[in-house]
Each structure stands twice: as C-alpha cells, then as structure tokens.
Amino acid sequence: MYYDFREDKLDLVLKKHKGLRRLLSPKLKTMPCPYDGITFYTDRSITPEFFSIVKPAMFSTRLSDAVRRYRYILKHRLFTVLWMPQNVDHSQTIIRLNPHKNKYTPAQVLDLISFIVGDYSDVYVGRFDEKVDLPDCTVEDVVKRLHVPYKRKKPLDYKNKNETFYFGSRKRQQVKVYNKGKQQGQSKKLVRIERTKWYEKTKRHMVADFFLNSRHDIMKGLVLVDTEKIDNRTSIKKLLKTSKTFYEAYKLLDDKRKKELKRHPAFIQPLIDIQQLVRNELRAWLVLSPRLFFKVHIDRIKPVFDAWAAGTWRFDKTIEVSPILKRNPQSRHGYLATSGWGVSCPNFIKKGGVNFDKTMLII
C-alpha cells in the first residue's frame, strides 16, 4: 500500500494553517536566487504535526515495489516530500524545494525544513540545479561558444528544434541551455544556462554549511569563449568553420593545443563571466537573510535552553556544538562579509568569551 496526496486538497489544508501560510506566502515579486531546485536528504522522519496537517489530503494507491521507492509521496508546487523508504539504505526523508521559483529566502528554506522534519541540523544537500540567465542572447549563440569540461559527447539538440541543448547525462553533472524567454511566454531574448550537480552520499554538505560557506565550485569550468579573439590561422579557428560548436572543435584538438587554448585571452577573458554573474546573484540572495549566520548558531544551541526551561538541565553530560563552517575553514567568514558584518565580527565575539567555531556546553 502506497499513499499519495491530492494537490487541490493540499492547497485548502495549507491555506488554513497560519504558520505555513505565513512561511509560504512570497513577500517579493522578484527574488534573485541562483538555485532552481535543491534536494535535501535526512534520516529524520516527518514531524507528527506536519503529518496531521497534510493527512486529510492523503489517498491510497497500489503499485509495484519496483515503481515506488517511498511509501508516502507528497507532491505540491511549493515542495515535494518523500518519506518511509522501502529500502533501508535510502534516506528516511527527501525534501525538494525550488527557492527561485517559489521565492524562498535562505532563512525560509531552513524554517520550512524544520517544520517538515523538526530540525535542519542533520539535513544534507544531495543535489541542486544552479542557473544563470543571459539576456539579449540566443540559444544558438551560447551553444556555439560554450565550453563544458568533462563531457565526451557533443551537445544533444532536444527534438532538433535548436531551442534546448543538453551537455552530458542527467545522472551526473548535466548542463542544459534553453530558451527561457519562450518558456515564460516572453518575446524578449533570454537564455538560461543550468547545471545539475550531484553529491555522493559520503560527500553531501549539511544545509547550513551549504548556505554559509563560499561556493568555489559555482558553474565550475563553464566558459563562454570569446571566439572573435582567436586568430583565423590557428587550428581551432579552422575547426570552428567545419564544426557547429566550439565544444566539438575543442574535442578534436590534442592535449598540448588544449592547454595552450586555455591560456588564450579568449578563455581568460570570456565573452560573459558566467561564474561572476552567479556569485553576484548568490550574494544578493543571501543578503535577504542578513541574520542567517546567527540564526544557525542560535538554532544549534536552542535545545540546551529548551532543556533548561523544561527543568531537565543536568550537570553530568557534555555536549560539543559542532562548528558551522567545518568543511571549508578558509571561507568561514565569507557569509559575514556578504551580509555586511565584516570579517572581524567573529574575532570580536571570541574576545568577549564566546567562540562560535567551537562552543562547549555543559548540561
């Protein structure tokens, strides 16, 4: 027996709940966000409160075990939740959100995850889609110049319409280039480059680390090569005349010429700096939650204060609050600088007696 949820009934249920209605109602008409979708994994189960809210929209269906990996599947335009796996090796709960489409701030993402599974401290990012929009460009112009590393096959023209191209397999790091203007029903030129990134189970980042750490791998390796800077007498320029895309011509070069080309001004000074555009959008998104750094710390020590308020405070146990930015220490002040606090803020707090990187709590 498997259980699905009816979206029409879910709308009625979610609108009646004050907490979710406030959390899910967008306050901004437009929101900068480089993430077009994030998938979170955790071994926590959903909270009884969340289950009681969505249960009225639940109905049962019978499908084979080969078709369904999870017993409960809740698909809604605002979020997707899967829980109770059929395989013990799978995560207990999977949550999928689209911060860009649904206009979630970083703090709202954390609050929503906490509402669904109770806490985000042991929730991990397993997959995400990062994107950048290029106005006044056509798909053909972008695909002609785009360099995508680590892909063996030439880009796939979906349905041969010259509107959507795929680089690589979706099971790995796939890059997608498509006409976003047409998808939105707009007449203006707008091309989206979207990269799907997967993390292996042992390399997944905690959601707080993922938001607070500096992202050095954003759109890694993607270069919109300025082919006009390449001399017509070079081998790559001759190959470009017979190849449809730069990607195909680049694959025909030997290793020596590939290395030389990567040091060429056409590579070093690309037509559009894709990575910088995405970093700018990421900074603008993080600024929407200026107190995120302190929110994460407070949320991590909140159980201690709850225990004290409930009268369960004890003196025979020591808890070490794990550092927030343990995976990338060299960039631990990156979020503070982005939020306008300045990199000296943590050092000042440490002098006051509180070390946010390693705090020992006696309870």
Side-chain angles (χ1 to χ4, degrees):
M1 184 73 70
Y2 299 90
Y3 298 94
D4 283 322
F5 295 80
R6 291 184 57 179
E7 187 167 342
D8 55 343
K9 287 189 176 182
L10 273 172
D11 282 334
L12 298 175
V13 171
L14 297 179
K15 287 178 182 178
K16 291 179 180 179
H17 191 272
K18 293 183 179 179
L20 277 176
R21 187 174 64 228
R22 176 186 59 81
L23 184 64
L24 301 177
S25 57
K27 298 179 181 179
L28 302 173
K29 292 183 179 180
T30 60
M31 178 181 291
C33 180
Y35 300 117
D36 202 40
I38 309 177
T39 303
F40 305 94
Y41 297 82
T42 180
D43 287 330
R44 288 176 171 267
S45 186
I46 65 168
T47 62
E49 181 185 5
F50 180 76
F51 187 70
S52 65
I53 292 171
V54 300
K55 189 176 181 180
M58 183 176 67
F59 69 97
S60 61
T61 181
R62 293 182 180 274
L63 293 172
S64 65
D65 291 344
V67 176
R68 300 291 287 269
R69 293 188 300 140
Y70 283 80
R71 188 176 182 186
Y72 294 93
I73 298 182
L74 185 158
K75 290 185 178 181
H76 191 265
R77 66 181 182 279
L78 298 176
F79 51 78
T80 297
V81 186
L82 299 86
W83 69 96
M84 196 171 289
Q86 301 300 313
N87 190 327
V88 294
D89 293 332
H90 292 159
S91 299
Q92 185 67 26
T93 305
I94 297 177
I95 303 172
R96 295 171 183 155
L97 305 175
N98 191 326
H100 178 260
K101 180 180 178 181
N102 295 314
K103 301 179 178 61
Y104 296 143
T105 65
Q108 283 179 318
V109 172
L110 297 182
D111 288 341
L112 183 56
I113 292 173
S114 295
F115 187 81
I116 295 173
V117 295
D119 192 1
Y120 61 82
S121 61
D122 51 0
V123 176
Y124 294 83
V125 175
R127 172 190 162 183
F128 57 92
D129 296 324
E130 55 190 13
K131 56 83 180 173
V132 62
D133 292 332
L134 305 178
D136 302 322
C137 292
T138 65
V139 173
E140 184 179 5
D141 290 338
V142 172
V143 174
K144 267 185 178 181
R145 295 172 171 83
L146 188 62
H147 170 69
V148 182
Y150 314 121
K151 305 302 177 189
R152 297 181 179 179
K153 297 182 180 179
K154 64 180 182 180
L156 173 65
D157 184 358
Y158 182 66
K159 292 186 177 180
N160 297 317
K161 291 185 177 182
N162 205 34
E163 293 179 349
T164 303
F165 288 83
Y166 294 94
F167 294 79
S169 170
R170 190 166 179 79
K171 294 181 179 179
R172 295 296 177 184
Q173 296 186 39
Q174 186 185 68
V175 176
K176 179 181 177 183
V177 181
Y178 59 99
N179 189 339
K180 188 63 179 178
K182 183 177 180 180
Q183 188 188 71
Q184 295 178 342
Q186 301 175 357
S187 57
K188 65 178 182 179
K189 295 180 180 179
L190 183 65
V191 176
R192 172 166 292 182
I193 302 176
E194 188 176 293
R195 187 186 76 151
T196 300
K197 173 74 175 178
W198 284 85
Y199 286 130
E200 297 179 7
K201 191 172 184 179
T202 57
K203 297 181 180 179
R204 291 173 182 169
H205 295 251
M206 288 189 294
V207 58
D209 293 340
F210 182 76
F211 285 165
L212 296 178
N213 281 339
S214 296
R215 287 285 320 283
H216 297 293
D217 61 340
I218 284 182
M219 295 288 186
K220 186 177 180 180
L222 296 189
V223 180
L224 202 60
V225 183
D226 191 351
T227 54
E228 301 301 324
K229 294 179 181 178
I230 303 176
D231 195 299
N232 290 326
R233 294 169 294 180
T234 60
S235 56
I236 183 65
K237 196 71 171 183
K238 294 176 182 178
L239 290 171
L240 283 172
K241 294 179 181 179
T242 57
S243 303
K244 292 183 179 179
T245 65
F246 175 86
Y247 179 86
E248 295 175 66
Y250 177 83
K251 289 296 179 181
L252 297 174
L253 296 175
D254 55 36
D255 292 340
K256 181 181 178 180
R257 290 182 178 178
K258 285 180 181 179
K259 291 180 181 179
E260 291 176 353
L261 183 58
K262 286 186 176 181
R263 295 192 293 267
H264 194 279
F267 247 82
I268 300 173
Q269 300 171 353
L271 192 65
I272 299 175
D273 192 337
I274 297 173
Q275 287 78 20
Q276 190 59 48
L277 287 178
V278 183
R279 289 192 188 100
N280 292 341
E281 193 168 8
L282 178 58
R283 292 192 191 99
W285 185 57
L286 291 173
V287 167
L288 297 174
S289 299
R291 301 179 184 87
L292 186 64
F293 179 85
F294 298 99
K295 169 184 170 57
V296 172
H297 276 295
I298 291 171
D299 288 345
R300 288 192 174 179
I301 63 176
K302 186 176 180 296
V304 178
F305 293 104
D306 290 343
W308 175 78
T312 58
W313 185 278
R314 299 175 61 187
F315 293 93
D316 60 347
K317 187 169 61 173
T318 300
I319 290 181
E320 180 179 340
V321 180
S322 59
I324 290 182
L325 306 177
K326 65 181 183 179
R327 293 181 182 271
N328 199 355
Q330 67 270 22
S331 62
R332 64 182 60 204
H333 303 313
Y335 176 77
L336 289 174
T338 302
S339 304
W341 287 91
V343 297
S344 61
C345 181
N347 294 329
F348 172 77
I349 295 173
K350 288 179 184 179
K351 291 179 182 178
V354 179
N355 185 340
F356 274 149
D357 291 333
K358 187 175 183 181
T359 305
M360 299 297 293
L361 299 172
I362 309 298
I363 62 173

